[in-house]
Amino acid sequence: MSPKSYTFSHAVSRKPAASIIRGLRFEDSGTPDHQKFLEHHAAYVDVLRSTGAEVTVLEPLEAYPDSVFVEDAALCLQEGVIQMRPGAPSRLGEAAEIAGTLADIYGDIHELEPGGFIEGGDILVTDSEILVGLSSRTDHAGVAALDKIVSKWGYKVRELQTPEGVLHFKTDCSLLDEETILSTKRLSDSGCFDGYRLLHVADGEEACANSIRFNEIVVMPDGFPKTTEMLTKEGYDIRLIGNTEAAKVDGGMSCLSLRFSPRR
């Protein structure tokens, strides 16, 4: 049986809107170039499709500058899809905007109990558990609401802490296979990945910790040669995608898609 944590038949992505120039960001590192972002996004979608997955690309939502980062709006598991409740007020409507597309695929959508907030960027799903990092966008009540749903499907939720000054838990980590996690040292030093095999990004290349394992490939942002070389030597099939514009609004590889294999 293929590992369900990174074996996917489907993905959903959304083109970046021109309003991305007003996207949220922790630090101002420049204004995203919309045209270049579109080119990077198209290359990203092409790589996902190269694995044979069915990739749905949604049109831009100008009213929601950050809506290209669809991962924050939902958690898609084999058993069902759960609508998230983003912690940034300007993003609250994004979950409802993508709900119809996901309902068409899954048949229905599970909603969290009222209270609290949670974003998909703080959720790392492995084959044995769901790790959720508390952050400025995800609180304890949101994690508890998620746990109430997924526990019925047999999932174990483990609540962790995202390092101070880091936007999302997965800003600093990604799953490489059933037993291996790519992480920054500042995150793994907390001991949150005890029991997993750890590979650390190279010093100065922390921004590439947010990569994705998608079927047989690992999709990484371009421009991090030491980590790319290390993962290649470890036997991973690496595909590099430009991410300079998404990075200006705190986006990475996982943020740009919802990845799943719905149980039929």
Side-chain angles (χ1 to χ4, degrees):
M1 181 179 293
S2 300
K4 63 181 181 180
S5 57
Y6 62 84
T7 304
F8 306 117
S9 60
H10 292 68
V12 172
S13 192
R14 187 183 295 281
K15 294 178 183 177
S19 60
I20 188 64
I21 61 173
R22 301 194 303 274
L24 299 173
R25 62 203 79 181
F26 256 26
E27 297 180 0
D28 189 356
S29 58
T31 301
D33 181 309
H34 182 234
Q35 183 56 45
K36 185 178 290 186
F37 201 155
L38 284 169
E39 293 169 3
H40 290 170
H41 187 269
Y44 177 89
V45 170
D46 285 346
V47 166
L48 300 189
R49 284 178 171 157
S50 73
T51 70
E54 179 180 331
V55 183
T56 300
V57 180
L58 304 176
E59 291 303 308
L61 289 176
E62 293 297 340
Y64 296 98
D66 296 285
S67 57
V68 63
F69 303 129
V70 293
E71 182 183 52
D72 292 320
L75 176 64
C76 299
L77 303 170
Q78 287 186 353
E79 296 80 2
V81 56
I82 305 162
Q83 186 171 311
M84 298 285 98
R85 187 176 298 118
S90 65
R91 302 193 66 188
L92 280 173
E94 293 179 26
E97 290 285 351
I98 204 169
T101 296
L102 297 174
D104 287 343
I105 297 171
Y106 275 90
D108 63 356
I109 287 185
H110 299 266
E111 295 188 7
L112 300 170
E113 288 186 346
F117 49 86
I118 185 169
E119 293 188 357
D122 285 314
I123 303 172
L124 181 69
V125 179
T126 78
D127 268 31
S128 59
E129 60 184 339
I130 297 177
L131 308 178
V132 188
L134 299 176
S135 72
S136 62
R137 303 287 184 83
T138 294
D139 64 10
H140 178 74
V143 179
L146 174 67
D147 184 47
K148 189 168 184 177
I149 295 174
V150 300
S151 62
K152 298 175 183 177
W153 299 335
Y155 289 93
K156 174 186 175 184
V157 173
R158 184 151 59 97
E159 184 179 283
L160 302 165
Q161 182 63 55
T162 301
E164 186 176 352
V166 177
L167 177 60
H168 282 135
F169 185 72
K170 281 193 300 196
T171 299
D172 272 31
C173 67
S174 50
L175 184 76
L176 293 176
D177 56 44
E178 302 97 309
E179 63 176 5
T180 309
I181 290 175
L182 178 68
S183 178
T184 63
K185 292 177 182 176
R186 67 186 171 194
L187 178 57
S188 67
D189 281 351
S190 69
C192 62
F193 298 130
D194 288 351
Y196 292 93
R197 184 173 79 106
L198 272 176
L199 294 177
H200 287 113
V201 299
D203 290 341
E205 296 189 354
E206 286 77 12
C208 72
N210 183 264
S211 298
I212 57 170
R213 175 71 185 268
F214 191 87
N215 296 328
E216 295 308 311
I217 65 175
V218 174
V219 186
M220 287 184 62
D222 197 6
F224 303 93
K226 294 179 182 178
T227 305
T228 300
E229 181 182 11
M230 179 268 292
L231 292 180
T232 300
K233 288 181 178 179
E234 288 284 339
Y236 295 103
D237 183 0
I238 306 298
R239 307 297 171 87
L240 300 177
I241 298 295
N243 193 56
T244 55
E245 307 317 296
K248 292 173 183 176
V249 279
D250 302 317
M253 295 294 98
S254 76
C255 312
L256 296 169
S257 64
L258 290 165
R259 305 162 297 280
F260 51 94
S261 295
R263 185 172 291 169
R264 300 300 187 180

